[in-house]
Structure formats: C-alpha cells, structure tokens
C-alpha cells in the first residue's frame, strides 16, 4: 500500500503451500515425492529472494516493517504438532514463540513481521488478515458480493485473501467517510487440480496496491501479472518460461 505518508509490503498468507501436508492429495499419484523439509527450504529460498529484491531505498521509505498474516496453509505445520506430539517444538512458521526451532520459516530473519493465523494486523483503521471467519462456523465468509459481506460482518475496512478472486466493496457512513473491503486475489501462476478448468480460469492472479490509505479509506488497484510481466520485459527482464 502507499500514499505520501505510508508505504509497506504485505503478504496476506499462504505464501507457503506446504503441499507435503495436503490431506486432499495424500494417497494420490501427485503426492509422490513431496517432503516437508523440501517445502521449508523452498519457501525460505523465496522469502530471501523477495526480500533481497526490495531495494535499500524502498526499505528506508517504508513506514513500518513489511508483514505477513499467516494463512491456513502455514497452519498445516502446527496441526502436525497437534496430531503427532513427538514433533512438538520442531517446526515453526515464523511466530515470535517459534524462534529457535530447528526448522522454521525465516520471515523475521529477512526483515518481516509475522501475525498469527486469523489475528488481524492494522494499518490505521484497516484490518489485514488471511480471511474473516464466520462467528458461527469459523469458516471463511464468502458471498457473490464478498466485499459487502465482509463489511457487514466486520463493520470496518478490511483486506483478506484466501479465495483467489479479486473482489471489493464499499459502504458509506453517515459522517461521509467510507468503509472499504477488498479480497486481493492470488499470486501464484500454477493451476490447481481440485479447482477444475473453470475454477482456475476464475482466479485473479496479481497483486493489489492500496492507494491513499488514511483512516478507514483507501482506493484498491489490482495489478494483474500479465501487466507486470509486460512492464518487466520492457525493462529487459525475462519471464520464467517454466512458470508461464
């Protein structure tokens, strides 16, 4: 997000897939060869790569440390401890209480703050979390008009991920200010077998810029990867053909 006073990078969660812990794929041919240690190594490589490509003047311009709001895929690791207590204290996903664990996500070592799953982070009056749970079921709030549904349930401006689609909604308050909700889409390039052909076509792949964030108000702008790649290629960068 950015305005004249604020600039900060946010990862809204599920940056780590942890495919080796997928209950959906277990027992399928696609599951063969997956290893938890390899998942950790690859995610930490990507965290370092992203952090290294944030230039020094950008780090200096940030109003606060970039942060990540952990998602349900990262939480897969903690469920291992719940089901197999012999692994207690072995794995971590970057939380403060996980420091010193032998195998950990290295967000903090690369300059990021980490917020636990479904605990919101705030910038001004805007909440950031992987998804907003229903108070009755605990499941992610979803709707055809998801932006409005988020506002009606949270009663405040909010940013979420999880659904892989880009959605936004606004509500006008009687004092003239606005509440804004945005679902930010997804930032992966591969297709998901479980979603099927139509489901994958419906994914909005890119990132979101929040402009003019002040109080509860901001203007969301979706930047699809197709535009990002064209811009990078115009500056001499080559797209990884393996990922599209």
């Amino acid at each position: 997000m950015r305005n004249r006073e604020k600039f900060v990078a946010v990862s809204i969660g599920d940056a780590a897939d942890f495919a080796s812990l997928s209950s959906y794929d277990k027992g399928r041919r696609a599951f063969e060869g997956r290893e938890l240690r390899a998942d950790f190594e690859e995610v930490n490589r990507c965290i370092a790569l992203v952090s290294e490509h944030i230039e020094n003047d950008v780090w200096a311009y940030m109003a606060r440390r970039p942060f990540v709001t952990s998602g349900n895929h990262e939480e897969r690791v903690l469920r291992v401890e719940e089901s197999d207590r012999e692994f207690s204290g072995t794995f971590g996903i970057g939380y403060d209480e996980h420091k010193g664990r032998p195998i950990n996500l290295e967000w903090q070592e690369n300059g990021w703050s980490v917020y636990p799953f479904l605990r919101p982070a705030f910038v001004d009056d805007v909440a950031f979390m992987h998804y907003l749970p229903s108070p009755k079921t605990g499941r992610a709030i979803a709707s055809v008009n998801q932006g409005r549904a988020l506002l009606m349930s949270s009663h405040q401006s909010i940013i979420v991920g999880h659904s892989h689609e880009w959605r936004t909604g606004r509500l006008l308050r009687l004092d003239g200010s606005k509440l804004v909700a945005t679902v930010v889409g997804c930032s992966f390039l591969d297709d998901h077998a479980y979603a099927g052909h139509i489901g994958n076509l419906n994914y909005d792949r890119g990132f979101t810029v929040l402009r003019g964030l002040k109080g509860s108000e901001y203007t969301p702008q979706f930047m699809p990867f197709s535009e990002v790649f064209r811009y990078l290629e115009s500056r001499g960068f080559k797209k990884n053909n393996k990922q599209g």
Side-chain angles (χ1 to χ4, degrees), residues 102-151:
I103 305 174
N104 204 352
L105 292 185
E106 297 173 353
W107 286 108
Q108 297 200 45
E109 290 81 352
N110 284 278
W112 295 69
S113 298
V114 182
Y115 288 82
F117 181 48
L118 301 186
R119 295 185 191 176
F122 288 89
V123 177
D124 282 10
D125 297 328
V126 181
F128 292 74
M129 57 197 307
H130 184 61
Y131 66 74
L132 181 66
S134 166
K136 293 183 178 180
T137 66
R139 299 178 68 86
I141 288 177
S143 170
V144 173
N145 191 340
Q146 191 174 359
R148 184 176 181 84
L150 289 166
L151 292 173

Side-chain angles (χ1 to χ4, degrees), residues 51-63:
S51 303
E52 289 167 6
H53 280 75
I54 299 177
E55 298 179 359
N56 289 335
D57 56 344
V58 176
W59 281 104
Y61 185 62
M62 289 192 190

Side-chain angles (χ1 to χ4, degrees), residues 4 9 59 88 97 108 142 145 171 197 201 204 227 232:
R4 292 180 180 178
W59 281 104
S88 180
E97 59 267 31
Q108 297 200 45
N145 191 340
L171 286 177
H197 176 67
L201 289 177
D204 295 309
E227 292 184 13
L232 292 176

